[in-house]
Amino acid sequence: LNEEDFKVLVAIEHGMARHEYVPLEYIAKVTNFTDDKLDMILRKLHRLGLIQRNKGPYIGYVLTTFGYDSLALRALVKRGVLERISADPIGVGKEADIYEGVTPSGEVVAVKFHRIGRVSFRNPRRVRTYVGDRRHISWLYMSRLSAQREYEALVLVHQHGVKAPRPIAHNRHVVVTEKIEGVPLFEVPPLEDPEDVMYQVIENVKLAYTRAGVVHGDLSEFNVLVTVENGREVPVIIDWPQWVPSIHPSAESLLRRDIENIVRFFRRKYNLRVDVEEIIKQVTQG
Ligand SMILES: Nc1ncnc2c1ncn2[C@@H]1O[C@H](COP(=O)(O)OP(=O)(O)OP(=O)(O)O)[C@@H](O)[C@H]1O
Ligand SMILES: [Mg+2]
């Protein structure tokens, strides 16, 4: 893709804030390209699967998720954050695809593409453009918001020593963090010291709540990766977009649910029995 291709993609991106399908006239006006030139570029972008054409009453275009990915990746490359990215994802969740990336200095990183409003796992290009009916809230906007929120949480908790991936950069719907070499808690081969790992998770929840002012809100054995540092099993908490501040009206009930999820997992799988109320007291009152 060249600069002119990106200029058209950016015009469509901006137009999507106000149009379900961005009218051809709008793109022409913003880019100032001749009809022939614009036509050629739009064909190319369409052929590459970066934009989708309106089949309705007027000619209009929207970005596909792939088109939006291209804009974010280009920005991250320009800013010197990324140099390469893996062809296949290293993780696919309900609301994100995670790829491995490499920075110009050679650091291996995790690149998380937020995909809110994705219709199906198998067909990531099919996306809803509207949520609700009258207000124009697109998958694009929601995915960007989700990434922004996650980045914000990561910065906060990381400042206060919570074990979470170190945030490196974000752009649009993409968050770049340190890559954790670990296995999700739910599929780790039996832990050597489950009690130690559980209390480390609780300690991180406490640090996040009392120091960073953050409640994770979606904590479970699926969002904890277990790494090994100097022979010790160390849990790292991932996946923060749904966090709430500790002063939020729902903070306490979410904190309780987070803790209950973790305690339940360790009871089921490792037969560890602890008093949940005691732990909640310990987390909230120091
Ligand atoms: N920083 C990271 N380093 C290494 N692997 C990661 C990292 N972040 C995510 N992953 C991998 O990608 C998977 C999904 O990540 P994450 O939980 O953040 O996405 P998600 O779409 O929100 O998942 P879900 O909605 O299913 O909980 C993780 O289980 C993990 O295997
Ligand atoms: Mg997850």
Side-chain angles (χ1 to χ4, degrees), residues 268-284:
R268 253 200 347 250
K269 182 146 175 192
Y270 294 101
N271 208 24
L272 277 183
R273 283 168 197 282
V274 293
D275 184 347
V276 175
E277 298 308 322
E278 198 51 46
I279 296 214
I280 290 171
K281 217 189 275 169
Q282 203 183 306
V283 165
T284 53

Side-chain angles (χ1 to χ4, degrees), residues 91 93-96 98 110 112 165 177-180 223 225 238-239:
K94 290 184 299 295
E95 306 203 304
I98 291 87
K112 179 168 175 176
T177 66
E178 155 195 22
K179 188 188 174 207
I180 305 298
N223 287 331
L225 300 182
I238 63 166
D239 201 5

Side-chain angles (χ1 to χ4, degrees), residues 18-280:
R18 279 194 288 126
H19 304 275
E20 185 179 6
Y21 281 91
V22 183
L24 182 60
E25 293 77 47
Y26 177 93
I27 307 169
K29 205 171 125 199
V30 170
T31 57
N32 223 0
F33 291 151
T34 61
D35 289 355
D36 281 354
K37 177 165 208 158
L38 184 55
D39 186 60
M40 197 182 69
I41 295 173
L42 286 167
R43 276 169 199 279
K44 174 179 174 184
L45 297 176
H46 188 258
R47 197 173 59 240
L48 291 170
L50 304 176
I51 59 175
Q52 201 188 326
R53 209 178 131 108
N54 184 19
K55 294 179 188 76
Y58 67 94
I59 301 178
Y61 294 88
V62 286
L63 296 177
T64 61
T65 51
F66 195 25
Y68 200 40
D69 292 354
S70 306
L71 284 173
L73 285 174
R74 169 175 170 263
L76 290 165
V77 168
K78 271 195 158 178
R79 264 162 55 191
V81 173
L82 279 182
E83 189 169 88
R84 278 182 284 138
I85 185 166
S86 60
D88 297 316
I90 56 168
V92 174
K94 290 184 299 295
E95 306 203 304
D97 295 331
I98 291 87
Y99 288 75
E100 182 181 285
V102 181
T103 68
S105 63
E107 187 189 354
V108 175
V109 294
V111 185
K112 179 168 175 176
F113 294 79
H114 288 245
R115 310 233 186 263
I116 312 292
R118 162 157 66 188
V119 172
S120 104
F121 281 108
R122 288 202 198 82
N123 195 352
R125 275 192 212 159
R126 259 195 65 212
V127 288
R128 241 183 323 183
T129 48
Y130 276 108
V131 175
D133 43 354
R134 291 188 44 200
R135 282 184 55 196
H136 187 105
I137 306 174
S138 64
W139 57 269
L140 179 140
Y141 173 75
M142 291 192 307
S143 299
R144 189 180 67 204
L145 201 63
S146 175
Q148 249 163 1
R149 284 184 54 81
E150 177 161 46
Y151 190 77
E152 198 183 339
L154 288 171
V155 168
L156 279 171
V157 298
H158 204 263
Q159 274 169 359
H160 291 90
V162 176
K163 274 281 187 182
R166 173 175 51 86
I168 295 171
H170 81 104
N171 182 269
R172 294 180 172 83
H173 61 318
V174 177
V175 176
V176 181
T177 66
E178 155 195 22
K179 188 188 174 207
I180 305 298
E181 296 302 336
V183 183
L185 186 55
F186 77 96
E187 63 177 32
V188 119
L191 292 166
E192 286 191 10
D193 192 345
E195 196 167 3
D196 179 38
V197 173
M198 184 181 72
Y199 280 110
Q200 287 184 70
V201 175
I202 304 286
E203 186 55 32
N204 280 305
V205 169
K206 178 176 175 172
L207 267 182
Y209 183 72
T210 58
R211 299 277 172 82
V214 169
V215 175
H216 185 285
D218 188 27
L219 190 59
S220 71
E221 62 273 27
F222 300 100
N223 287 331
V224 175
L225 300 182
V226 179
T227 61
V228 175
E229 287 178 15
N230 306 317
R232 185 186 187 196
E233 295 164 325
V234 175
V236 179
I237 302 177
I238 63 166
D239 201 5
W240 293 80
Q242 61 296 304
W243 73 284
V244 297
S246 297
I247 52 164
H248 190 276
S250 317
E252 287 210 11
S253 68
L254 289 170
L255 181 74
R256 169 176 288 270
R257 197 179 67 187
D258 282 355
I259 293 172
E260 282 172 351
N261 285 344
I262 293 300
V263 166
R264 191 184 314 116
F265 172 77
F266 280 95
R267 186 171 56 229
R268 253 200 347 250
K269 182 146 175 192
Y270 294 101
N271 208 24
L272 277 183
R273 283 168 197 282
V274 293
D275 184 347
V276 175
E277 298 308 322
E278 198 51 46
I279 296 214
I280 290 171

